[in-house]
Each structure stands twice: as C-alpha cells, then as structure tokens.
C-alpha cells in the first residue's frame, strides 16, 4: 500500500513517447502477443502497438483476433454475467465550463432544473423495480446539489435497499472532491464514485475545461481553489476516494484528444497503478468507463468539432483492448449508451462486465415512465403531472409534452431503449443481466441462484 502522501503521476513524456514509437503490427506478431496463456500480460508498449494497429485497420485480421481473444477472456473472468447500472440526474446546473458538454455554464440555451428529493427517489424506486440495483447519482458542478442533496439521496436510497431487501450499490458522478468530502459521502451511504478524466494531457484539458471547479479544484470548505490545477486534482480524485473507502471509476473521453494511443495507454497505466496499490477486488471493482464526445440537445450551442472521428466502429475494439490490457475479475469495462445499442451490446459481449441499459440523462428523465407505470396500475397521476409541469414551466400536463421537455435538458444526445430491450439484445449476444451488483461466482451460479434474468 502506498503512503497516504503519494499519488499516481502520469509520466507524460514516457506515455507520449510510447504513442509516437508504437508500430502497426502484423497478425503473426499480434497472435504471439495474445497467445501467452488464458490471460494476456501486455506491456504498455505492446498495448500501444495494438491500439495503433486497430486504429489503422479497424476491420482487419488483427481486429478480429483481438475481439476473439477478449471475448474468451471475458468468458473466463465473468462467464455470461453483466451487471446493469442506471444514472439518476439530480440537477443539470453547473458552475464549470467544458466545451463538449450541454450543461456547461456558458450554454444559455440549456434550460436548468434541479429535481426535488422525492421525485428523484420515485425514479430510483422505478429502477430498482426494473432490477437495476446499481444507482448512480449525477449532477453538474452544483455545490448545493452535491453538498446538501446528494447525502440525503444516498441515505434514502440505502433505506430503499433495506426495505426492498436488495443488496444494491450507490455511486455518484460529479466534480472531483477532497478526501474529507469523500469520507462524508461514504458515511452518508455512498459505495462508489465516478470521475472521468476527459484527457490525461494537461494542455488538452485546459483547452476543453475552461472555468469553474473542474478547472481549479475545490477545498475542504467547498470553496474554489484559485490558481489550483483542476487536471491534477481530478486524476488524484480516485485515490482520495479509495482512501476514503469508496470504489472508483476512471476513463478518458475517447476522441477528445486526437492522440488516442496516448490517452489509451495513460488510462491503462493509471488503472494498473490503482490495482497495484489499493484493495480493489471483484467485489469492489475498478470501473473503466468509455465516454465519447456526443452532440448535445441544444444544437445551436453545440461546439462539437466537425473533424471528430466516429467512435462507433472502434468502440467494441477499445472495450476489448481495455480488458486485454487489464485482465482481472476486479476490472469491469463499462460500455455505455453513447453508442447505438448494437455497438454497446457488442462491446459488452467482448469485454463489458458492467453496462447501462435504460438511460435518461436529464433530471426527472424517468418520470414519464414512472407515470406510465402508475397509470397501468390504475393510479391517478394528475397531481404528479401538474407538479412536473410547474417545475418545467415549458410543458403542459400531457405526458408526451413532459417527456419532450425533460429530454431537452439532457447532458448530451444518447441512445434510449427500454430496459427489456437491452435484456433481450444482451441475451441474444449470450449475456445474462444480473439482478444485483456482483458477478456470480460461475456462469452456472448465474442461471441457478435466482439472481439473473434470461431471455431466449
Ligand atoms: S462535463 Fe460536468 S463539469 Fe463539465 S460542464 Fe458538463 S456537467 Fe459541468
């Protein structure tokens, strides 16, 4: 275990050099690299070469080999199980300014909304009933939401788990915090945190994260740290959280930095450091996220670069390469709904032990589904619809209008399908969605202990 004063520090010169020096390799060389036993053991230089090779020829023979090998590793480590998660947005208000994000403070087109606790918990209850027991609370860099509302929601969700006899987990995704703040949120009921680094290159970070808490970091008293280094404060956040007793997630935004090979090996390097120095296990895994730069709902305020490469073709490949670079039951690759369902499912098939299914990315996003469900049970929803219309101020009480207005407040454009649709698509790919937050000990356990759902 590391001293509490030490933190991972990316060796930028070495990582950039690995990217520059990496060579596209032929099939025979790739086969030799990946043939070293059930679980591969790749150096960072070998990882860089494989990344470069698939980027140069995403439909080639090496690509097929990587997908096949990753799929076998996935089976060996996780059987056919995949753990579902869902984000629940608290507020789309944000004090930071990230060029790529619909919620950035400078986006005047975005209509802001902070959800009251009870309407958030109604959605949590809806997700638990679907069988999604890993709940991620999300907000922009909104100090009130994170300081005041998040601890209450964490505590109330733990009570919901208890009342439903669910062994669930709660997680939060918001600004990077101090160790003291992570301890407080753990004490309130949090199991895990998510912080996406966006980029391991400080210059790229400053180019795309231009103001607010994310730019500078914050202090224990929640004040902005003027002159602070938000990039450094962010990549050290996972270690502060681990020391506070939380599980963590990391990931770079694929495509933000044109040097994808650098970003990939930096992410692997960071993950390996955490795995070597902290008590990360199959029950307390490290999540490897795969955010990409999607368009935002307020199209006139979208600053997405025109020259961004499509990530759809390479998304399953990157998932596969993450798993081959970090082959462990304690490393869960996390394909998400930023890509179409078929691409997300393929990434899960070859590498993902953890995935989102039904996702809404704006505050209150699941409420139209909650209303539908209440109506199917014969319950009167007028009071709820009226209350929501009052909160939104730009929609009537009709559920379709409410849904349209809520969707306009999402952080970015993504792919939405009902949970059942994901279950079926994952089942067709040979995967079973676990009704819980752990991977069962064996595939047989998944189908016999009542903790998995299967569709034929
Ligand atoms: S990415 Fe996060 S911090 Fe940046 S603008 Fe969006 S919500 Fe705010």
């Amino acid at each position: 275990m590391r001293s509490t004063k030490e933190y991972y520090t990316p060796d930028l010169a070495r990582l950039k050099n690995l990217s520059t020096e990496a060579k596209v390799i032929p099939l025979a060389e790739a086969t030799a690299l990946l043939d070293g036993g059930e679980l591969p053991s790749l150096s960072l230089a070998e990882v860089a070469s494989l990344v470069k090779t698939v980027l140069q020829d995403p439909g080639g023979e090496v690509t097929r080999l990587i997908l096949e090998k990753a799929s076998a590793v996935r089976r060996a480590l996780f059987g056919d199980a995949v753990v579902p998660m869902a984000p629940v947005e608290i507020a789309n208000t944000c004090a930071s300014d990230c060029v790529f994000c619909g919620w950035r403070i400078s986006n005047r087109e975005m209509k802001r909304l902070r959800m009251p606790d009870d309407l958030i918990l109604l959605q949590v209850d809806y997700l638990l009933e679907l069988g999604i027991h890993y709940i991620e609370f999300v907000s922009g860099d909104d100090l009130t939401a994170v300081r005041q509302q998040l601890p209450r929601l964490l505590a109330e969700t733990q009570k919901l788990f208890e009342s439903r006899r669910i062994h669930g987990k709660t997680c939060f995704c918001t600004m990077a915090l101090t160790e003291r703040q992570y301890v407080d949120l753990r004490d309130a009921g949090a199991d895990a945190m998510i912080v996406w680094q966006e980029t391991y290159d400080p210059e790229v970070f400053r180019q795309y994260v231009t103001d607010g808490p994310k730019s500078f970091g914050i202090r224990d008293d929640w004040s902005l740290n003027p002159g602070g280094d938000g990039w450094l404060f962010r990549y050290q956040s996972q270690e502060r959280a681990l020391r506070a007793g939380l599980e963590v997630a990391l990931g770079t935004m694929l495509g933000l930095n044109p040097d994808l090979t650098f970003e990939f090996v930096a992410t692997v390097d960071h993950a390996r450091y955490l795995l070597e120095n902290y008590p990360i296990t199959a029950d307390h895994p490290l999540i490897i996220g795969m955010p990409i730069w999607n368009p935002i709902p307020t199209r006139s305020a979208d600053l997405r670069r025109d020259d961004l490469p499509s990530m759809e073709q390479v998304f399953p490949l990157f998932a596969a390469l993450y798993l081959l670079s970090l082959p462990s039951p304690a490393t869960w690759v996390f394909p998400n709904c930023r890509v179409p369902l078929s691409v997300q499912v393929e990434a899960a098939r070859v590498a993902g032990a953890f995935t989102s299914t039904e996702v809404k990315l704006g505050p209150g996003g699941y409420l139209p589904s909650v209303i539908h469900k209440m109506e199917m049970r014969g319950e009167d929803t007028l009071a709820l619809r009226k209350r929501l219309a009052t909160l939104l101020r730009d929609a009537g009480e009709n559920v379709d209008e409410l849904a349209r207005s809520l969707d306009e407040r999402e952080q970015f454009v993504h792919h939405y399908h009902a949970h059942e649709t994901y279950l079926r698509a994952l089942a067709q790919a040979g995967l079973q969605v676990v009704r819980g937050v752990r991977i069962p000990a064996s595939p047989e356990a998944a189908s016999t202990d009542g903790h998995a759902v299967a569709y034929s």
Side-chain angles (χ1 to χ4, degrees):
M1 187 77 65
R2 287 272 153 170
S3 136
T4 52
K5 297 224 178 319
E6 284 181 51
Y7 286 96
Y8 167 77
T9 305
D11 182 341
L12 296 175
R14 175 172 157 262
L15 294 167
K16 284 186 180 171
N17 201 41
L18 281 167
S19 169
T20 312
E21 297 292 312
K23 299 270 182 297
V24 172
I25 55 174
L27 180 63
E29 199 176 326
T31 306
L33 288 185
L34 295 173
D35 259 3
E38 196 174 62
L39 301 182
S41 172
L42 298 169
S43 69
L44 278 186
E46 291 164 345
V47 171
S49 291
L50 289 169
V51 172
K52 241 187 196 167
T53 305
V54 302
L55 282 173
Q56 201 225 28
D57 186 10
E61 287 178 315
V62 174
T63 294
R64 280 196 288 283
L65 172 74
I66 286 168
L67 294 175
E68 260 169 43
K69 181 70 187 178
S71 164
V73 169
R74 191 224 183 282
R75 291 273 153 192
L77 292 172
F78 308 112
D80 57 5
V82 59
V83 172
M85 63 81 68
V88 180
E89 321 289 319
I90 305 172
N92 69 356
T93 37
C94 185
S96 290
D97 217 11
C98 303
V99 170
F100 44 81
C101 180
W103 290 356
R104 65 180 188 272
I105 191 170
S106 61
N107 184 1
R108 305 286 172 217
E109 305 291 311
M110 178 57 64
K111 294 171 191 163
R112 308 291 170 165
L113 183 63
R114 193 183 292 142
M115 271 287 122
D117 288 10
D118 64 325
L119 295 188
I120 293 173
L121 291 166
L122 212 52
Q123 297 171 83
V124 171
D125 210 39
Y126 163 78
L127 293 165
L128 296 182
E129 212 163 280
L130 284 183
I132 302 170
H133 297 171
Y134 194 109
I135 303 294
E136 175 204 21
F137 289 112
V138 181
S139 83
D141 288 2
D142 174 330
L143 289 180
T144 307
V146 179
R147 278 183 84 171
Q148 295 174 16
Q149 220 176 340
L150 179 57
R152 293 196 302 264
L153 292 167
L154 291 165
E156 289 302 318
T157 302
Q158 290 296 342
K159 285 187 203 160
L160 278 176
F161 289 160
E162 278 165 33
S163 67
R164 285 179 167 273
R165 297 174 189 270
I166 284 171
H167 195 116
K169 281 188 183 175
T170 56
C171 167
F172 57 90
C173 180
T174 181
M175 66 193 90
L177 301 174
T178 68
E179 189 171 334
R180 175 73 257 158
Q181 292 156 351
Y182 283 129
V183 168
D184 290 344
L185 289 172
R186 182 208 60 200
D187 290 348
D191 295 288
M193 61 81 99
I194 287 177
V195 165
W196 307 135
Q197 182 62 28
E198 320 298 8
T199 168
Y200 283 88
D201 184 323
E203 295 308 316
V204 179
F205 189 88
R206 281 168 209 132
Q207 187 186 343
Y208 287 102
V209 180
T210 58
D211 204 1
K214 191 157 163 183
S215 253
F216 303 107
I218 59 169
R219 299 185 281 215
D220 275 340
D221 66 0
W222 296 86
S223 61
L224 206 66
N225 186 12
D229 182 344
W231 170 77
L232 174 146
F233 188 70
R234 202 163 177 85
Y235 77 67
Q236 293 181 341
S237 64
Q238 285 86 3
E239 286 181 78
R240 293 192 297 273
L242 283 160
R243 290 165 192 178
L246 292 168
E247 297 169 18
V248 303
L250 57 75
T252 187
M253 181 182 276
L254 297 168
L256 185 67
N257 180 352
D259 190 348
L260 264 164
T261 306
F262 162 82
E263 290 295 336
F264 195 93
V265 289
T267 307
V268 171
D269 191 46
H270 189 189
R272 285 181 177 177
Y273 178 95
L274 298 183
L275 288 161
E276 279 163 20
N277 290 287
Y278 292 91
I280 293 167
T281 64
D283 274 348
H284 303 285
L286 173 66
I287 309 286
I288 311 291
M290 300 179 62
I292 58 176
W293 185 350
N294 275 21
I296 60 175
T298 51
R299 297 300 171 102
S300 61
D302 197 342
L303 302 175
R304 191 169 180 272
R305 291 200 327 257
D306 290 336
D307 64 342
L308 275 187
S310 164
M311 284 292 136
E312 286 181 17
Q313 190 178 10
V314 290
F315 194 84
L317 279 167
F318 277 113
L321 281 172
Y322 274 135
L323 185 64
L324 294 173
S325 307
L326 300 159
S328 158
T331 313
W332 289 8
V333 178
F334 174 20
N336 59 53
C337 63
R338 298 195 192 199
V339 291
L341 181 142
S342 60
V343 178
Q344 184 182 346
V345 168
E346 173 63 359
R349 185 188 71 80
V350 297
F354 186 68
T355 200
S356 56
T357 58
E358 180 170 326
V359 164
K360 287 289 184 179
L361 291 175
Y366 303 98
L367 286 172
S369 300
V370 171
I371 290 167
H372 279 309
K373 207 158 193 177
M374 288 169 71
E375 286 174 350
M376 279 167 65
R377 290 195 298 246
E379 293 172 32
D380 184 0
T381 60
L382 184 62
L384 174 55
R385 287 187 281 117
K386 277 189 173 201
R387 189 168 162 216
L388 198 48
T390 306
L391 278 171
L392 290 167
R393 291 195 273 178
D394 64 353
E397 293 149 15
N398 174 288
V399 74
D400 292 336
E401 262 187 67
L402 293 169
R404 183 225 7 108
S405 168
L406 289 163
D407 286 351
E408 285 171 4
R409 289 161 167 83
E410 293 200 311
Q411 190 176 16
F412 50 83
V413 176
H414 65 103
H415 297 267
Y416 172 82
H417 302 276
H419 183 62
E420 295 290 317
T421 305
Y422 276 97
L423 293 184
R424 275 191 290 274
L426 288 160
Q428 276 162 13
L431 296 175
Q432 292 198 63
V433 173
V434 171
R435 208 174 167 89
V437 293
R438 293 195 164 74
I439 301 282
S442 70
E444 291 73 35
S447 52
T448 57
D449 69 1
H451 292 290
V453 189
Y455 282 80
S456 55

